[in-house]
């Protein structure tokens, strides 16, 4: 895990997402949320923040619901052609 944390500090979004995924899988939800803090609010980042907030009993009240609503709105307004590109 230290090598992944070091890679995430490089500023590469995919490395930070990989670190967050690893922390979530290990049950370290608060650490995952911290790893995602300050990243651009892409769908990938928001999805992981939502998951961390769902699983972390110490997360701010209503945070998971707010993030879930934001993601649902984004997905509903997404251009289907753009979604096919991913």
């Amino acid at each position: 895990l230290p090598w992944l944390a070091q890679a995430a500090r490089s500023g590469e979004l995919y490395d930070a997402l990989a670190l967050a995924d690893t922390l979530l899988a290990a049950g370290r939800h608060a650490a995952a949320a911290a790893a995602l803090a300050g990243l651009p609010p892409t769908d990938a980042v928001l999805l992981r923040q939502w998951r961390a907030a769902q699983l972390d009993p110490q997360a701010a009240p209503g945070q998971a619901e707010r993030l879930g609503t934001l993601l649902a709105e984004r997905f509903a307004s997404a251009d289907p052609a753009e979604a096919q590109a991913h």
Side-chain angles (χ1 to χ4, degrees), residues 4-55:
L4 189 52
Q6 180 179 0
R9 286 191 293 273
S10 73
E12 175 61 42
L13 181 61
Y14 289 110
D15 291 336
L17 294 174
L19 174 61
D21 287 341
T22 301
L23 292 168
L24 285 169
R28 297 179 55 196
H29 312 120
L36 296 164
L39 294 177
T42 64
D43 290 345
V45 171
L46 292 173
L47 182 64
R48 287 160 176 86
Q49 288 174 330
W50 169 70
R51 189 66 179 140
Q54 279 186 314
L55 298 171

